[in-house]
Amino acid sequence: MQIDLTQRSAVVTGGANGIGLATARRLATSGARVAIWDRVAAVGTAAVQSLVDAGLDVIFVEVDVTDTAGVQHAVAETMTRFGRLDILINNAGIVRDAQLVKVRDGVVTGGMSEADFDAVMSVNLKGVYTCTQAVVPHMLTRRWGRIVNATSVVAANGNFGQTNYVAAKAGVIGMTKVWARELGRRGITVNAIAPGFIATAMTEAIPPTVLQTMKDATPLSRLGTPDDVANAYCFLVSEQAGFINGAVLGVDGGLVIGT
């Protein structure tokens, strides 16, 4: 399937590395002008330069998705450069894993901190809300838009040590369905991607035995790649996906059916 995003402009949050960078590259190679929004200027600038050197139309905007004023500024800067906003990929996310509570010999010895719970909810849930609310008015003026949010297979199944992450990703699914109802009649589709185990920089530190367990749990017997997820994002923002709205697309190699 040939996807043509010429004349479209896109924002990819958390686009400086991993799945976000692969997505920015995929959208740009399909013809879109792409703004990578990320917190770390040095990493973002280097990522954009690599894409520009490949002949792609990509810019970097430094922004923290939890900062409402900063997001508004990022929207204004992107509009100045592109003149329109058609596509929003809410990809930015963090993890701060810990068990809810640890008890040894009847004594509480640890657990998830309030700070770690709040940080994950702020980036992974509120950040999606903040960016979407800031971008949508520019889609409404053209009565066309594509929004795709990053959730996770753990939103449905839970995952040990991820109270905060699972809660945030489940919330993203809920917001996706609300916005699909609210915005669909205005020509804007809102969907979500639910990745499974994906090989990124974070998985490089995982012991080989644990990685093998992850592969064994996946019916396709491998980890996904950032490009696997990027391809799904690209399809959902295309004209070909114009009648898909409020959906959660699993990109997990069959992990959900295998658990």
Side-chain angles (χ1 to χ4, degrees):
M1 180 185 296
Q2 185 66 38
I3 293 176
D4 182 7
L5 299 179
T6 304
Q7 304 304 318
R8 301 297 185 192
S9 65
V11 167
V12 180
T13 71
N17 49 52
I19 292 171
L21 180 57
T23 301
R25 182 185 300 109
R26 182 69 176 86
L27 298 182
T29 57
S30 296
R33 293 169 293 173
V34 180
I36 287 177
W37 289 7
D38 214 303
R39 289 185 61 187
V40 184
V43 177
T45 301
V48 165
Q49 190 60 54
S50 69
L51 298 179
V52 170
D53 289 345
L56 302 175
D57 191 354
V58 184
I59 66 171
F60 173 69
V61 180
E62 183 179 358
V63 61
D64 179 345
V65 298
T66 69
D67 177 4
T68 301
V71 168
Q72 291 288 352
H73 177 77
V75 168
E77 185 173 344
T78 304
M79 284 293 295
T80 297
R81 295 291 296 273
F82 294 157
R84 59 191 291 166
L85 279 173
D86 305 294
I87 295 164
L88 172 61
I89 306 293
N90 281 308
N91 170 77
I94 62 172
V95 293
R96 297 286 188 273
D97 294 350
Q99 288 178 239
L100 176 65
V101 63
K102 288 185 176 181
V103 177
R104 184 173 183 178
D105 298 328
V107 178
V108 175
T109 59
M112 180 172 289
S113 70
E114 183 176 357
D116 283 347
F117 181 87
D118 289 346
V120 170
M121 295 298 285
S122 185
V123 174
N124 296 12
L125 185 63
K126 184 184 176 183
V128 174
Y129 160 82
T130 301
C131 291
T132 303
Q133 190 176 54
V135 168
V136 160
H138 299 282
M139 296 178 174
L140 290 173
T141 60
R142 294 180 178 274
R143 297 188 68 86
W144 196 97
R146 297 284 190 268
I147 300 167
V148 190
N149 303 320
T151 180
S152 170
V153 293
V154 303
N157 300 324
N159 200 34
F160 190 93
Q162 290 195 313
T163 295
N164 47 7
Y165 188 80
V166 170
K169 293 303 185 181
V172 167
I173 292 176
M175 291 195 303
T176 297
K177 294 181 180 296
V178 171
W179 297 338
R181 291 181 179 273
E182 291 183 351
L183 302 174
R185 67 191 64 194
R186 306 292 294 275
I188 301 168
T189 65
V190 188
N191 295 291
I193 294 287
F197 296 132
I198 308 298
T200 63
M202 286 191 296
T203 62
E204 292 176 0
I206 297 176
T209 54
V210 177
L211 284 176
Q212 188 59 51
T213 299
M214 294 162 67
K215 294 176 185 178
D216 291 343
T218 304
L220 287 183
S221 300
R222 69 171 176 87
L223 301 184
T225 68
D227 284 336
D228 288 326
V229 183
N231 288 333
Y233 274 130
C234 193
F235 169 66
L236 285 176
V237 304
S238 70
E239 292 287 353
Q240 290 91 330
F243 201 58
I244 301 175
N245 190 32
V248 180
L249 176 61
V251 185
D252 61 10
L255 177 64
V256 170
I257 62 171
T259 54

